[in-house]
Amino acid sequence: MPLSHGRPYLAIPGPSVMPDRVLRAMHRAAPNIYAGELVDLTARVIADLRRVAMSSSHVAIYMSNGHGAWEAAISNVFSRGDKALVLVTGRFGEGWAHHARQMGVAVETIDFGLASPADPARLEAALRADTAHQIKAVLVSHVDTATSVRNDIPAMRAAIDAAGHPALLLVDCIASLGCDEFRMDDWGVDVMVAASQKGLMVPPGLGFVWFSDKALEEGRAADLRTPYWDWTARAFPEFYYQHFGGTAPTHHLFGLAEALPMILDEEGLAQVWARHGALARAVWAAFEAWGQGGDLALNMPDQACRAHSVTAARIGSGGAGQLRKWAEEVAGVTLGIGLGMVPFGDPREGDFLRVAHMGHVNAHMTLGVLGVMEAGLQALNIPHGKGGLAAAAGVLAVQA
Ligand SMILES: *Cc1c(COP(=O)(O)O)cnc(C)c1O
C-alpha cells in the first residue's frame, strides 16, 4: 500500500529542501533591474555571501550551477598550459580536474581513492618535487558529495606553506557551505566556489566564486578568461548590470536575500554547523546499528573525515537500489543515488546510495528518513541489525 501521499521529501544532496519563505520571497513580479530595491538588496546579498564564507574576499555571482562555478574559477586563474594539481577524493574532484583539462590546463591529479581524505603529506611531497614552481594552483573539494569524504582544508594550506610553494589554494565548497564549518580567510583559501541549491537553500541556478587579493593579482594575466566569466567586472562593477554580465538573476536574488539571513542572523552560522553535525551523527548511528546484522556500511570509515551534509553508504546485493525505490514509491522520500563508486553501468551500482542532511533540514526530517529506511529494510527483507532508529534518536536526545 502506498503511504506516499503527503508532502514529498527530496533527501538527495542537491537540490536541497527550499524553505517555503524562500519560495514566497521569489513569487513576485519582475523588478526594475536598473535601480531601486533589487540594487540595494544585491549589496546586502554580497555582504552576506562574504559572511557565510567567513571572508573579506571578493565575490562574483554567475547564472550557473556548480559546474559553471568550477569553470569560472579555472578561467580566471589559469592560462592555457599552466599546471594544476587536483586532489581527488571522489567523482566531484575528478569532475573539476576534467573541466580544467578540457579547458587547456595541464592537470596532474593525486587520487586518494573513494574512502580516504586527501593526505597533506602527499600534497607537500608533490609540491616539494615541483622545484620550478610550475604548479599554479591546488584544487580540492571540501566535501566530495559522491563519497561524503570531508577534506581537512587547513591541513592542505599548511602543506602548501610547509613546502614553501606559492601555489594558490582553490576549494570546492558546493556541498559544504552553510553545512560544515568553513573559514575562508582563517584557513588561507585563495578561491572558493559554491552554488545556490545546497546549504544555501535556494533553487539551482546561481554559482558563486569568492577570491582573495592574491588570486586577483595572480590571475590578472589568465588567458582562459572570457568576457562572460571574467570575475573582475562582476566583483568590481561600474554599472549594476556588470555584476551579472547582463540581466540580473532577479528572483534568485530575492530568494538568497531571504535565505542568507535565516542562516546568518536567525539561526547563526555556528548553530547551523552544529545542527548539521548532530543530524549527520544520527544518520551514522543508524547505519552503524544496521550494519551489525547485515551487509550495510557507511562509505567513510573515519568519522573525523565524514561530511556533515551528506552520507554515502553501501547496502550489498542491490539493497541500496531496492531501498531507494521503496522509499520513494511507498513512503514519499527520495534518497540519493550512489555516484562514482563503481564504473558506470556496473551491476553493483544498485549497492550504493546517499542520504542528504543538507540545508533546511531538522531532526524530525532526518529521523523520518531513517524511520522510512528502517521500515524499507524490513519490508524488503534486507538483513540488518536492529535498533538503527533508536540509536539515531539517542544521538539527538543527548544533543538537545
Ligand atoms: C553538487 C556539486 C557540484 C556540482 O554542482 P552542480 O550545481 O550540480 O553543477 C560540484 N561539486 C560538489 C562538491 C557538489 O556537491
Side-chain angles (χ1 to χ4, degrees):
M1 176 180 71
L3 302 170
S4 56
H5 292 270
R7 194 177 179 92
Y9 179 13
L10 188 68
I12 72 172
S16 64
V17 174
M18 294 171 287
D20 290 345
R21 47 190 278 206
V22 168
L23 294 173
R24 276 198 300 274
M26 299 177 76
H27 190 136
R28 50 175 293 179
N32 184 354
I33 56 164
Y34 300 104
E37 183 191 354
L38 189 72
V39 174
D40 301 338
L41 174 145
T42 301
R44 286 203 305 281
V45 163
I46 289 172
D48 280 352
L49 286 170
R50 287 199 184 91
R51 288 170 68 203
V52 81
M54 303 215 57
S55 180
S56 58
S57 63
H58 312 294
V59 181
I61 304 178
Y62 298 90
M63 290 161 107
S64 79
N65 56 19
H67 285 74
W70 277 348
E71 291 204 3
I74 293 163
S75 73
N76 281 285
V77 166
F78 294 102
S79 292
R80 195 166 300 278
D82 278 351
K83 231 172 149 179
L85 176 60
V86 185
L87 309 180
V88 177
T89 55
R91 172 63 69 84
F92 288 93
E94 275 169 27
W96 207 4
H98 173 75
H99 279 244
R101 203 175 279 121
Q102 292 296 306
M103 290 169 75
V105 177
V107 174
E108 192 185 306
T109 59
I110 308 179
D111 194 332
F112 296 91
L114 298 173
S116 328
D119 175 0
R122 285 183 65 191
L123 170 58
E124 185 180 333
L127 293 176
R128 280 188 192 280
D130 177 34
T131 48
H133 291 173
Q134 286 182 328
I135 295 170
K136 180 127 199 228
V138 173
L139 279 61
V140 63
S141 312
H142 184 204
V143 163
D144 196 300
T145 325
T147 53
S148 64
V149 168
R150 178 160 51 95
N151 287 305
D152 183 345
I153 301 303
M156 301 304 127
R157 173 82 268 165
I160 296 170
D161 293 347
H165 199 289
L168 296 168
L169 177 58
L170 276 55
V171 181
D172 172 349
C173 288
I174 296 171
S176 56
L177 192 72
C179 305
D180 264 288
E181 179 175 356
F182 178 79
R183 300 172 185 271
M184 181 165 174
D185 289 3
D186 289 353
W187 293 0
V189 173
D190 296 295
V191 177
M192 188 271 278
V193 301
S196 51
Q197 79 277 19
K198 300 197 182 179
L200 302 185
M201 314 184 297
V202 169
L206 292 185
F208 310 103
V209 181
W210 290 251
F211 57 100
S212 65
D213 282 326
K214 182 178 171 202
L216 174 67
E217 282 315 311
E218 297 209 2
R220 283 214 191 272
D223 73 13
L224 290 182
R225 183 185 288 120
T226 57
Y228 184 78
W229 296 104
D230 187 350
W231 64 21
T232 344
R234 288 176 188 255
F236 313 104
E238 285 176 68
F239 306 103
Y240 180 74
Y241 71 83
Q242 292 176 315
H243 264 305
F244 305 105
T247 304
T250 50
H251 288 66
H252 277 76
L253 292 169
F254 291 131
L256 267 182
E258 187 73 18
L260 288 166
M262 288 175 70
I263 294 170
L264 296 164
D265 303 317
E266 294 177 28
E267 188 173 4
L269 201 45
Q271 177 56 37
V272 168
W273 295 337
R275 170 168 54 85
H276 282 85
L279 298 178
R281 285 190 295 279
V283 173
W284 306 340
F287 270 97
E288 276 156 10
W290 294 332
Q292 298 301 309
D295 186 16
L296 289 84
L298 292 169
N299 180 56
M300 188 60 211
D302 181 355
Q303 175 163 339
C305 311
R306 290 182 197 147
H308 290 174
S309 51
V310 56
T311 296
R314 196 182 64 78
I315 307 177
S317 310
Q322 293 165 29
L323 184 60
R324 282 200 313 102
K325 186 167 156 43
W326 190 92
E328 181 157 53
E329 290 177 359
V330 180
V333 174
T334 304
L335 300 168
I337 57 168
L339 206 55
M341 305 306 288
V342 288
F344 185 69
D346 187 298
R348 290 167 301 165
E349 270 180 343
D351 291 2
F352 300 93
L353 57 71
R354 291 173 301 157
V355 185
H357 26 95
M358 171 186 278
H360 193 57
V361 176
N362 60 21
H364 90 73
M365 296 162 81
T366 297
L367 287 175
V369 167
L370 295 172
V372 161
M373 292 176 74
E374 194 161 289
L377 291 170
Q378 287 181 33
L380 296 164
N381 288 316
I382 296 172
H384 62 284
K386 298 290 167 226
L389 199 55
V395 167
L396 295 181
V398 299
Q399 301 298 326

